[in-house]
Amino acid sequence: MTEFEPKIVAFCCNWCSYAGADLAGVSRMQYPPNVRIIKVMCSGRIDPLFVLMSFLEGADAVLITGCHIGDCHYIDANHKTKNRFEFLKEMVAELGIGEERLRLEWISATEGEKFAGMVRETVEKIKKIGPSPLRPKVMQ
Amino acid sequence: MEEKEIRIGVFICHCGTNIGGSVDVPAVVEYAKHIPNVVHAERNLYTCADDGLTAIKNAIKEHKLNRVIVASCTPRTHEPLFRSTCEEAGLNKYLFEFVNIREHCSWVHMKDPEGATAKTKELVRMGVARANLLEPQEEMKIDVEPSAMVIGGGIAGMTAAKTLANQGFDVYLVEKEAVLGGMLRNLYRLFPTGEDSLDSLQPSIATVEGHEKIKTLSSCEVKEVKGYIGNFDVTLLREGEKVSFKVGTIIVATGAIEFEPKGYYGYGKYDHVITQIQLEKLLKDGQLKKPDSVVMIQCVGAKGAEVSYCSRICCMVAIKNAMLIKEINPDADIHILHNDIQAYGAEYEELYNKSREMGIRFIKYTPESPPSVTMEGEKLKVEVYNELFGEQIVFGADLVVLSTPLVQHQGGVEISKLLRVPLGKDKFFFEAHVKLRPVDFATDGIFLCGTAHGPAEVAESVSQALAAASGAGIPLSRGFVRIEAISVKVDPEACVGCGFCVEMCPFQALDMVDGKLEIIEALCKGCGTCVATCPTGALEQRHYQNNQIISQIKSIFHPVVE
Amino acid sequence: MKGCFIAWATDDATRKRGGSGGFVSAALAAALDSKLVDNVLVLKKTSPYKATPIVTNDPKEVLECAGSFHFVSVNMAQYVPSGRVALPAKPCDARGVIERAKRGQLDLDDVYMLGLNCGGSLHPKKAKKMVEEMYNLDPDAVTGEEILKGELILKTADGGKALKIDDLEEKGYGRRESCRYCETKIPRMADIACGNWGLPADKVGKTTFVEVITNKGEEIFKNAVDTGYVEFEPASDKAIELRDKIEKVMKGLAEKWHKRLFEPIEKLSDSDRLAFYVDALSSCIGCGACRKACPVCACGDNAKCLIEGNSDYKIPLFLMVRLLHLMDSCIGCGRCEDVCPVGIPLTLIHRKFAERMQNKLGYVPGINLDKPPYFEGELGEDS
């Protein structure tokens, strides 16, 4: 049987974390091909609905990423991201699907290694704990 | 919008071997052809090259494409190009979708061609899912305040200010010191020409101060910058008093400072251990007593734990200053201890050779066994392990000069926070793209030049300043900018008037008027935070609609291939 | 005139019809009479098991609606009309009203809430069955009901019958499940809190214990007295103490029920708990009744929870989004559970998620106009 390959959805903001992911590429930092990036202008645009839907669709992990607190291109919009993340975190904990599956990381445009490292780490961790129990039956 | 059949064209770029090297591009093209609504798929060696762009334009006509997807590099550099290509072929540029398969795929999965190819197919699929739901948008035209602010009155800032002012724009030149000139004021003669720094500086200062279009604001600190390209509201603090004005563009020229080598080689402990800038001052003031023996140590604090980078200019500074000492005392014994001499280009190489001819000696040390400086009687004693000869050498020295790197200063860090523009790992300002947009920030309307960007010598700083001024002048002379159509809109029928979105907006673009939500579009910057907050579907962000993002999520998990 | 009083309707008929001295109905009618409010929202009983919320400006109609009514699961918050209005409000009605005010659905300054102490209500359908099975009575023969000292008394033409509520609940009847563990027994978020707890034995059934809490409460109480609809006397310290004691006992009981119902879920391992949620929530047929019945939800027909997911989701997107959106705002009124046609223990599950967040945030919805934390710029500590 082939090894389980996690499917990871990463939401990135245009100004910082997407650029950080770009820099990881420019610097040829290698990480496994399990992540799918969805770009929004600001992490504040990441509707918790998108995160919940990602899990229901079968994501084994969801990464919410944005500019560091204080560096947000939209003044303090990422504070709201943090707030919503707290709700999602509790929700994931109560559902019991494994808190490791949801992660919030602030990644600046210059932190390519942080982006690459986050993906590597998450893939490794999720491979250990296995597919999300919320994966639809067809996928399993 | 009139409902019509969706016809998507997909262009997959090899980017030479950058993508083609690890992604099976032909297989991705085959895959793309089978995704519903894709009526045309092709691959290009370089989609961004002339023939690639022509291919897009031709295909739009030939295949009646009403959506275009380019799968290549990053939208952060190439989206404007492909968007305007679409526009040239009569397609609204918001019907273009970018899929990043280089930075986010081929380059990060170089050793996994199979994985990279499979991922590329999915990324293209996600792009198609989003493209299906894209809607044409119209951009708002916003008037530009025909003035600029230059932060920093050093040679770079003054050059930028002059250039813009000569184009006829009002320039506010902000300097935190009482006088203009910056770092150059402390220097003596400049390499490679040997001219006096004041000779380059004084005319600049005179021009700037006498220019009717330049308002010099010295002893001023930038306190607040609000707004966006074309309309920045600036507040300065001048001796506790607020000064406010409006500008269209901003240039950051805040410079750098010399790293203070506290604790290095007896600096601060022994009087005759000084830095290059201190030496320049002594030379300039004629205070340097005729030294018999001088040792210069390169890379002090640089390329190490505190400052990781090479400061580029210090080798030439040391060589130039060593030669100046030789002018004072041709018999002086001068050693330059280095771990690699940076003397790029013909002129610098020539200077380096000349200095050797003058008898200046160069000794290579290794970072593992750096030199040491101690006091022996009245004289400084320098010991160094000569890597070339494999032996320990000891000199006596009247003067030890430390070559330290240029570093960012607190003022620069604060400006970065104020303007919300990033600093790099080296703490210097970080440009939008190292090659393609070297004097721009990712934020529209803000530019950078000089040593704020990193160690540079005068000529480089001036070139950057000219480039930045030219960039900053474009929107000023055009008189308007188009604002990306990513603002939010409300469906009044769906809005229930809960009002929670109002306080979410970082820009006060939302307001409740008689229980109804009103959006001040010019204030909306398109972060979409309110849209994510809205408990209903009433708020939507143009070009980042809920259904578009949802379609991307779903497409990750649903291989919808015919 | 804030504080505790014992009050009653001056009109004999109202006093008799009212469950406890007719104060609430009299004060509502008085408010209409003197144009303190434009309308009154009351429940109109159409059978012992059915009552409909009506909006009226006729004081007489208000007085006719007097009477204790426990076989009801309606939440009044959704029926509050615009303009100045007064209504009787159980704690969950009052909390619903406040949550709707936060969502711009009404102006709290215009709403006068005459709170009703509440030990819980019974679901009408279940009540009917209970009357047959436990009381051995013809449901249609019941003319009235009353809860006194832990007993549910059903009145009929030829007398009545009382059973212990505890016993009824052990057999699966009695109060709605959410009422059993609800810890808000006296609606102190309302303008006035009314009930029979604390009344001396000789006044039970003839008077109302009234606590006037807010300025609006004062206004409506004073108006009822000034217009001659109501008479009152101060409540004795003993009465106040007794009321507090009863409240404490009721809360204690609620805590026990809470433990009994929630602990088994809390004890589950992560995977078993998920299995429980998936099992319960996946039977959702997506009818949307829970959302329509939810007094907190003000999202209308374009609510985000209505965005379509896929049919193969283990938990419907609709419920996932509702769980999230209600994490800070669920008031535990029990309406979702009441109306779910497939019997999902929705309130229990909503509470499970909500308590986690509300406890963490120290936020209690429906007691004041504090903004729901979901809509805050940031939560206390920084990253």
Side-chain angles (χ1 to χ4, degrees), chain B residues 481-547:
Chain B
V481 283
R482 291 194 183 276
I483 298 293
E484 221 191 334
I486 52 171
S487 57
V488 299
K489 54 184 177 183
V490 63
D491 172 358
E493 297 292 307
C495 175
V496 294
C498 72
F500 290 130
C501 52
V502 172
E503 277 177 59
M504 284 288 133
C505 178
F507 306 97
Q508 289 87 44
L510 306 179
D511 200 9
M512 289 297 288
V513 180
D514 299 329
K516 292 220 144 111
L517 182 67
E518 281 187 5
I519 299 170
I520 307 150
E521 208 190 320
L523 290 181
C524 174
K525 300 292 159 303
C527 63
T529 303
C530 58
V531 184
T533 307
C534 182
T536 78
L539 273 171
E540 264 296 10
Q541 182 178 12
R542 292 179 174 89
H543 207 53
Y544 289 91
Q545 291 170 194
N546 286 324
N547 63 346

Side-chain angles (χ1 to χ4, degrees), chain C residues 312-379:
Chain C
D312 62 356
Y313 291 175
K314 284 201 169 159
I315 296 171
L317 182 68
F318 167 68
L319 289 175
M320 283 283 259
V321 174
R322 273 186 57 75
L323 280 171
L324 178 88
H325 283 180
L326 283 164
M327 268 178 112
D328 58 356
S329 294
C330 171
I331 56 170
C333 71
R335 287 297 291 143
C336 47
E337 209 164 278
D338 285 341
V339 299
C340 179
V342 287
I344 302 172
L346 276 172
T347 310
L348 185 75
I349 295 175
H350 271 298
R351 286 312 300 159
K352 194 70 194 55
F353 281 76
E355 278 176 15
R356 180 187 265 274
M357 202 65 201
Q358 291 174 5
N359 291 343
K360 186 177 166 179
L361 300 169
Y363 173 82
V364 185
I367 54 160
N368 55 34
L369 284 174
D370 285 357
K371 190 155 76 163
Y374 184 79
F375 300 104
E376 282 293 346
E378 59 189 300
L379 301 177

Side-chain angles (χ1 to χ4, degrees), chain C residues 38-327:
Chain C
D38 307 326
N39 283 302
V40 159
L41 169 67
V42 278
L43 284 174
K44 186 165 190 168
K45 212 191 240 184
T46 49
S47 91
Y49 309 98
K50 194 169 162 72
T52 317
I54 59 155
V55 174
T56 176
N57 56 11
D58 177 6
K60 249 194 250 156
E61 194 170 19
V62 171
L63 294 176
E64 277 160 17
C65 290
S68 127
F69 198 59
H70 288 97
F71 298 167
V72 66
S73 62
V74 174
N75 190 293
M76 302 283 269
Q78 286 170 311
Y79 302 97
V80 176
S82 59
R84 295 171 74 78
V85 61
L87 73 151
K90 303 187 298 296
C92 54
D93 294 328
R95 295 178 72 184
V97 166
I98 290 172
E99 284 305 304
R100 294 185 79 75
K102 290 181 193 178
R103 287 160 177 76
Q105 303 304 298
L106 49 89
D107 186 345
L108 207 52
D109 289 341
D110 288 342
V111 183
Y112 292 79
M113 293 193 281
L114 279 77
L116 309 173
N117 295 352
C118 182
S121 62
L122 290 80
H123 193 285
K125 268 191 200 152
K126 275 197 174 171
K128 220 169 179 176
K129 205 170 162 209
M130 174 190 73
V131 173
E132 286 175 338
E133 305 269 317
M134 303 296 293
Y135 285 76
N136 295 317
L137 290 172
D138 173 5
D140 296 329
V142 176
T143 56
E145 39 85 4
E146 196 179 353
I147 292 178
L148 215 59
K149 293 186 172 150
E151 288 188 328
L152 174 66
I153 305 156
L154 296 186
K155 294 172 193 163
T156 52
D158 46 339
K161 194 170 180 181
L163 288 175
K164 272 195 152 78
I165 293 179
D166 279 354
D167 295 341
L168 292 171
E169 285 175 0
E170 284 306 324
K171 300 255 160 65
Y173 294 104
R175 294 171 300 166
R176 296 152 71 228
E177 195 174 270
S178 54
C179 296
R180 296 179 202 172
Y181 57 83
C182 170
E183 287 178 26
T184 315
K185 299 300 182 188
I186 297 179
R188 291 195 171 80
M189 68 294 297
D191 298 303
I192 300 182
C194 313
N196 59 13
W197 302 343
L199 292 174
D202 60 323
K203 292 193 168 155
V204 172
K206 296 171 196 145
T207 60
T208 309
F209 187 110
V210 176
E211 184 184 353
V212 180
I213 303 163
T214 65
N215 292 341
K216 271 188 291 163
E218 212 174 346
E219 216 180 312
I220 211 159
F221 187 68
K222 209 166 163 289
N223 174 69
V225 174
D226 292 349
T227 49
Y229 271 85
V230 158
E231 283 176 356
F232 74 99
E233 59 187 45
S236 66
D237 290 348
K238 219 175 132 187
I240 295 170
E241 264 171 49
L242 181 61
R243 176 174 176 256
D244 288 346
K245 213 173 120 190
I246 295 172
E247 186 188 17
K248 225 168 140 187
V249 170
M250 296 296 288
K251 279 192 169 176
L253 280 172
E255 264 171 54
K256 270 188 203 157
W257 267 110
H258 187 278
K259 214 169 155 187
R260 187 167 154 184
L261 292 164
F262 285 70
E263 240 177 29
I265 308 174
E266 271 149 25
K267 278 186 180 155
L268 294 175
S269 67
D270 270 7
S271 56
D272 287 348
R273 197 170 63 251
L274 178 66
F276 164 71
Y277 289 141
V278 169
D279 183 51
L281 299 175
S282 61
S283 49
C284 173
I285 55 168
C287 68
C290 53
R291 190 181 74 87
K292 289 201 179 107
C294 178
V296 172
C297 175
C299 297
D301 295 339
N302 288 286
K304 231 168 218 171
C305 56
L306 298 177
I307 285 177
E308 242 176 281
N310 272 9
S311 56
D312 62 356
Y313 291 175
K314 284 201 169 159
I315 296 171
L317 182 68
F318 167 68
L319 289 175
M320 283 283 259
V321 174
R322 273 186 57 75
L323 280 171
L324 178 88
H325 283 180
L326 283 164
M327 268 178 112

Side-chain angles (χ1 to χ4, degrees), chain B residues 76-106:
Chain B
R76 297 182 76 255
T77 56
H78 281 63
E79 191 166 58
L81 175 68
F82 293 126
R83 277 183 163 186
S84 56
T85 304
C86 289
E87 272 186 327
E88 282 166 34
L91 188 67
N92 183 287
K93 67 182 189 182
Y94 289 87
L95 298 175
F96 167 76
E97 172 67 7
F98 212 122
V99 177
N100 184 334
I101 59 168
R102 190 180 73 176
E103 277 82 345
H104 292 183
C105 191
S106 69

Side-chain angles (χ1 to χ4, degrees), chain B residues 129-344:
Chain B
R130 185 175 144 82
N132 276 321
L133 297 166
L134 288 176
E135 288 175 11
Q137 305 290 346
E138 245 180 77
E139 291 185 337
M140 215 176 31
K141 218 164 135 181
I142 284 186
D143 288 340
V144 170
E145 188 72 28
S147 61
M149 168 170 71
V150 178
I151 311 173
I155 190 68
M158 287 192 296
T159 307
K162 263 191 316 192
T163 312
L164 280 168
N166 287 341
Q167 289 174 50
F169 304 113
D170 288 315
V171 180
Y172 297 89
L173 178 61
V174 182
E175 168 58 51
K176 70 171 191 274
E177 304 289 331
V179 289
L180 295 174
M183 174 76 88
L184 227 48
R185 275 192 302 129
N186 302 320
L187 304 185
Y188 179 37
R189 291 213 209 134
L190 305 176
F191 63 83
T193 53
E195 69 186 304
D196 195 312
S197 71
L198 291 182
D199 290 344
S200 345
L201 199 54
Q202 293 297 10
S204 270
I205 294 177
T207 314
V208 163
E209 287 184 337
H211 207 297
E212 54 167 16
K213 284 284 186 188
I214 300 176
K215 189 167 184 188
T216 303
L217 295 151
S218 50
S219 303
C220 276
E221 258 181 83
V222 183
K223 208 70 213 157
E224 191 178 65
V225 178
K226 279 182 169 172
Y228 45 93
I229 182 169
N231 297 274
F232 290 106
D233 288 303
V234 181
T235 308
L236 308 180
L237 220 53
R238 185 187 212 171
E239 286 152 4
E241 298 251 325
K242 274 190 185 170
V243 183
S244 299
F245 50 87
K246 223 175 160 126
V247 295
T249 51
I250 294 173
I251 295 177
V252 176
T254 49
I257 56 167
E258 187 191 40
F259 173 75
E260 200 194 345
K262 257 189 207 152
Y264 286 88
Y265 305 111
Y267 181 84
K269 199 161 136 200
Y270 310 133
D271 287 348
H272 293 97
V273 178
I274 60 174
T275 65
Q276 291 287 0
I277 288 204
Q278 287 170 319
L279 172 63
E280 300 242 3
K281 193 148 175 31
L282 291 174
L283 288 165
K284 194 185 187 102
D285 301 343
Q287 300 278 316
L288 186 70
K289 288 191 201 109
K290 208 171 158 186
D292 290 327
S293 53
V294 178
V295 174
M296 292 186 178
I297 304 175
Q298 299 305 104
C299 298
V300 176
K303 297 200 268 187
E306 271 182 87
V307 175
S308 59
Y309 51 90
C310 161
S311 184
R312 296 171 78 240
I313 58 166
C314 347
C315 285
M316 294 318 296
V317 170
I319 290 168
K320 180 244 332 178
N321 285 343
M323 290 166 74
L324 289 172
I325 293 171
K326 274 279 187 195
E327 277 177 25
I328 299 170
N329 180 10
D331 296 329
D333 245 346
I334 306 181
H335 286 91
I336 295 180
L337 314 184
H338 66 93
N339 65 49
D340 229 347
I341 286 290
Q342 291 284 335
Y344 56 92

Side-chain angles (χ1 to χ4, degrees), chain B residues 422-484:
Chain B
L423 300 176
K425 253 198 286 193
D426 56 8
K427 299 283 190 304
F428 285 111
F429 285 96
F430 189 67
E431 69 290 319
H433 191 275
V434 65
K435 288 185 166 57
L436 304 175
R437 298 176 65 193
V439 297
D440 312 28
F441 285 109
T443 307
D444 288 339
I446 309 183
F447 302 82
L448 82 161
C449 60
T451 52
H453 179 244
E457 43 105 332
V458 175
E460 291 165 339
S461 290
V462 168
S463 315
Q464 287 181 13
L466 294 168
S470 131
I474 294 170
L476 302 185
S477 58
R478 193 195 279 147
F480 68 88
V481 283
R482 291 194 183 276
I483 298 293
E484 221 191 334

Side-chain angles (χ1 to χ4, degrees), chain A residues 47-49 52-53 56-57 69 79-80 82-84 86-91 93-99 106 133-138 140, chain C residues 270 273-274 277 304 307-310 312-315 317 320-321 323-324 327-328 352-353 356-357 360-361 373-374 376-379 382-383:
Chain A
D47 194 316
L49 172 108
L52 297 178
M53 185 179 242
L56 292 171
E57 282 284 342
I69 292 289
H79 288 243
K80 286 110 190 171
K82 169 93 167 78
N83 187 358
R84 295 184 199 124
E86 294 299 327
F87 276 79
L88 285 166
K89 200 172 84 176
E90 293 302 319
M91 181 128 180
E94 183 60 37
L95 280 170
I97 61 171
E99 287 159 64
W106 305 130
L134 272 186
R135 272 190 176 203
K137 287 213 173 66
V138 221
Q140 283 171 343
Chain C
D270 270 7
R273 197 170 63 251
L274 178 66
Y277 289 141
K304 231 168 218 171
I307 285 177
E308 242 176 281
N310 272 9
D312 62 356
Y313 291 175
K314 284 201 169 159
I315 296 171
L317 182 68
M320 283 283 259
V321 174
L323 280 171
L324 178 88
M327 268 178 112
D328 58 356
K352 194 70 194 55
F353 281 76
R356 180 187 265 274
M357 202 65 201
K360 186 177 166 179
L361 300 169
Y374 184 79
E376 282 293 346
E378 59 189 300
L379 301 177
D382 212 354
S383 57

